[in-house]
């Protein structure tokens, strides 16, 4: 079977970039006896052992340059991908993210991954302008119309797609995401001196948030909850750490609002740290040393940082919204994302109760074993196979 895959978001530093790299890599290892054409707009700089053709479409602008909050992809660039697929003629075309979808000429069957329907549920929190919202809706509607089948990554995302995208749930296959094997418990590992120098908060109790700084991530709510807990006086030694490679991918962010709130409150100013981006080895240390990971979003399609934290034997404080109850399960505590006082209460509980933290950490490490990229591929493959051979 000849499988075409859109990998134009391979280099993206967001979750769907990691999803593409991990899932495609594991797919090629799981089913190496098939032919694969990977359609890209820049060199993948990766060596594959399977029968893989890397097809650089070379549009005028890459997906990462133009599929951003204040701009949009050109039709000519999308059609460059369309023509490349038409020339190669795969039996089935797979899109790991609707973010980088492009139209196909008639005759090519396709499966599209919708990681969530957050942009449809909270459009004003995702896109800053009406034009960007319109462009997104147009692309998604075309992708919905043309796709033969749909993939998503949680049952919560499936329900969100049904409600906000009007897709028949019977046509949506739920797979899963996983975690890189780098993420594992520290087990007494000596912390490298350069990390201690770079991140002095490692010697203090802290909570860690990993991800983007977008309005729907509810970081203002998290800061307000943290401030309430600080004002109550029960978490005077606690730090809050934000980790992420922000400001480089062109996504809608509200960093200025966070900075304004922090600047107006001395306790936040001294106890909130923006750590920037870090490689996976360093991130493993930051997860492993934290009291808990924090996932405060109004919705998540999956919530990969929660799984990474749990793989490091770190419990998670999570919103009750979206996929997080499904993904975190017994490995954390939950709060109402719209109630900063509830967030504060859960922060106080995780900070004060060491026995509970240990119980949650053990539960997290056990629970996280159900999530793997291999399992995701095993759930995806029957759909690819059935469509490609039909």
């Amino acid at each position: 079977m000849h499988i075409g895959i859109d990998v134009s978001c391979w280099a993206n530093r967001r979750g769907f970039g990691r999803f593409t790299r991990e899932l495609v890599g594991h797919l090629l290892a799981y089913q190496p006896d098939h032919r694969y054409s990977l359609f890209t707009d820049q060199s993948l700089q990766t060596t594959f052992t399977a029968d893989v053709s890397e097809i650089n479409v070379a549009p005028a602008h890459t997906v990462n340059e133009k599929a951003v909050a204040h701009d949009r992809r050109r039709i000519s660039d999308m059609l460059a991908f369309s023509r490349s697929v038409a020339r190669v003629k795969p039996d089935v075309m797979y899109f790991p993210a609707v973010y980088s979808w492009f139209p196909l000429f008639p005759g090519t069957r396709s499966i599209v991954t919708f990681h969530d329907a957050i942009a449809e549920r909270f459009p004003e929190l995702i896109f800053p302008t009406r034009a960007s919202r319109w462009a997104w809706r147009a692309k998604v509607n075309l992708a919905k119309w043309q796709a033969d089948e749909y993939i998503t990554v949680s049952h919560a995302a499936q329900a969100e797609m049904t409600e906000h995208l009007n897709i028949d749930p019977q046509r949506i296959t739920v797979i899963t995401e996983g975690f890189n094997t780098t993420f594992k418990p520290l087990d007494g590992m000596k912390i490298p001196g350069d990390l201690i120098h770079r991140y002095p908060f490692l010697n203090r109790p802290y909570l860690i948030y990993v991800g983007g700084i977008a309005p729907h991530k509810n970081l203002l709510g998290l800061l307000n909850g943290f401030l309430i807990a600080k004002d109550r006086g029960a978490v005077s030694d606690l730090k809050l750490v934000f980790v992420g490679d922000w400001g480089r991918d062109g996504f809608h962010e509200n960093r200025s609002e966070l900075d304004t709130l922090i600047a107006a409150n001395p306790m936040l100013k001294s106890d909130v740290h923006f750590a920037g981006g870090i490689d996976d080895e360093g991130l493993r240390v930051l997860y492993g040393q934290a009291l808990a990971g924090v996932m405060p979003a109004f919705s998540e399609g999956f919530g990969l940082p929660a799984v990474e934290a749990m793989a490091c034997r770190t419990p998670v404080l999570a919103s009750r919204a979206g996929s997080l109850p499904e993904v975190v399960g017994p490995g954390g505590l939950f709060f109402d994302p719209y109630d900063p006082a509830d967030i504060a209460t859960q922060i106080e509980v995780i900070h004060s109760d060491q026995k509970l933290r240990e119980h949650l950490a053990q539960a997290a490490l056990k629970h996280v074993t159900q999530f793997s990229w291999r399992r995701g591929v095993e759930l995806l493959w029957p759909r690819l196979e059935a469509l490609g051979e039909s």
Side-chain angles (χ1 to χ4, degrees):
M1 185 167 60
H2 181 190
I3 303 161
I5 307 176
D6 165 38
V7 294
S8 56
C9 60
W10 185 278
N12 188 276
R13 291 176 289 272
R14 299 290 173 129
F16 47 76
R18 186 183 285 269
F19 177 88
T20 299
R21 295 187 297 272
E22 294 281 4
L23 197 75
V24 171
H26 282 78
L27 173 61
L28 299 182
Y30 178 63
Q31 293 290 341
D33 297 329
H34 296 272
R35 179 185 169 200
Y36 297 89
S37 291
L38 308 185
F39 297 89
T40 181
D41 52 20
Q42 53 189 309
S43 174
L44 302 182
Q45 298 182 336
T46 301
T47 301
F48 301 102
T49 56
D51 181 7
V52 175
S53 297
E54 181 181 325
I55 301 169
N56 193 328
V57 176
H61 303 93
T62 68
V63 170
N64 287 341
E65 289 173 331
K66 287 296 180 180
V68 295
H70 297 280
D71 206 342
R72 64 186 68 89
R73 295 170 72 187
R74 305 298 184 259
I75 293 176
S76 58
D77 288 341
M78 298 176 77
L79 288 177
F81 279 94
S82 308
R83 287 191 290 270
S84 290
V85 173
R87 285 193 293 269
V88 171
K89 296 183 173 60
D91 297 313
V92 61
M93 186 72 194
Y94 174 54
F95 294 88
V98 72
Y99 164 79
S100 56
W101 178 87
F102 52 84
L104 299 171
F105 294 136
T108 302
R109 310 198 75 180
S110 67
I111 302 177
V112 180
T113 301
F114 287 73
H115 288 264
D116 52 61
I118 294 172
E120 287 70 33
R121 187 176 175 186
F122 303 105
E124 69 287 350
L125 300 184
I126 305 297
F127 298 108
T129 66
R130 289 182 180 178
S132 57
R133 291 194 285 271
W134 178 89
W136 176 261
R137 281 198 302 270
K139 180 175 72 171
V140 166
N141 284 336
L142 284 171
K144 276 174 49 183
W145 172 76
Q146 191 168 71
D148 293 281
E149 294 193 26
Y150 311 93
I151 297 292
T152 196
V153 291
S154 69
H155 294 284
Q158 181 189 42
E160 194 173 64
M161 289 169 62
T162 300
E163 180 177 357
H164 296 280
L165 290 170
N166 297 313
I167 297 176
D168 181 353
Q170 298 300 316
R171 296 182 64 195
I172 305 170
T173 298
V174 178
I175 64 169
T176 187
E177 298 189 27
F179 56 92
N180 190 288
T181 54
T182 299
F183 298 108
K184 54 190 173 184
L186 297 180
D187 288 336
M189 183 187 90
K190 182 176 173 59
I191 307 304
D194 62 319
L195 286 181
I196 294 175
H197 178 74
R198 183 179 174 186
Y199 304 117
F201 56 77
L202 283 170
N203 290 319
R204 302 286 298 276
Y206 64 91
L207 306 175
I208 183 171
Y209 167 82
V210 178
I213 300 185
H216 78 281
K217 295 294 188 179
N218 190 32
L219 302 187
L220 280 174
L222 174 58
L223 283 175
N224 280 312
F226 186 66
L227 183 59
I228 291 171
K230 284 284 180 181
D231 283 338
R232 290 174 180 170
V235 296
S236 59
D237 61 340
L238 188 64
K239 307 291 184 182
L240 177 59
V241 176
F242 294 94
V243 177
D245 196 8
W246 314 294
R248 297 179 59 188
D249 286 328
F251 287 86
H252 185 34
E253 297 180 348
N254 64 336
R255 173 68 185 267
S256 61
E257 293 180 272
L258 307 182
D259 289 340
T260 298
L261 178 59
I262 291 167
N265 294 275
M267 283 187 290
L268 293 182
K269 205 169 182 180
S270 62
D271 290 334
V272 175
H273 300 266
F274 289 89
I278 187 171
D279 62 23
D280 285 354
E281 289 286 353
L283 185 55
R284 174 197 172 201
V285 173
L286 266 59
Y287 278 134
Q289 287 288 101
L291 293 187
V294 190
M295 299 287 289
F298 295 125
S299 184
E300 292 279 2
F302 185 78
L304 187 55
V307 169
E308 293 172 348
M310 291 192 295
C312 295
R313 201 175 166 275
T314 299
V316 179
L317 292 178
S319 161
R320 292 192 187 95
S323 65
L324 292 170
E326 178 182 341
V327 170
V328 175
L333 301 177
F334 298 92
F335 52 76
D336 178 352
Y338 296 95
D339 185 355
D342 191 20
I343 297 174
T345 297
Q346 300 310 315
I347 289 174
E348 290 166 342
V349 169
I350 204 76
H351 174 266
S352 64
D353 195 332
Q354 183 177 353
K355 186 175 180 180
L356 175 63
R357 284 201 309 273
E358 179 63 26
H359 170 76
L360 293 173
Q362 293 287 10
L365 195 57
K366 182 178 180 181
H367 178 67
V368 80
T369 57
Q370 69 183 284
F371 303 112
S372 72
W373 294 112
R374 172 61 180 256
R375 179 60 179 151
V377 165
E378 289 173 347
L379 293 167
L380 169 66
W381 177 252
R383 308 317 312 145
L384 282 173
E385 186 176 39
L387 202 59
E389 294 183 349
S390 62

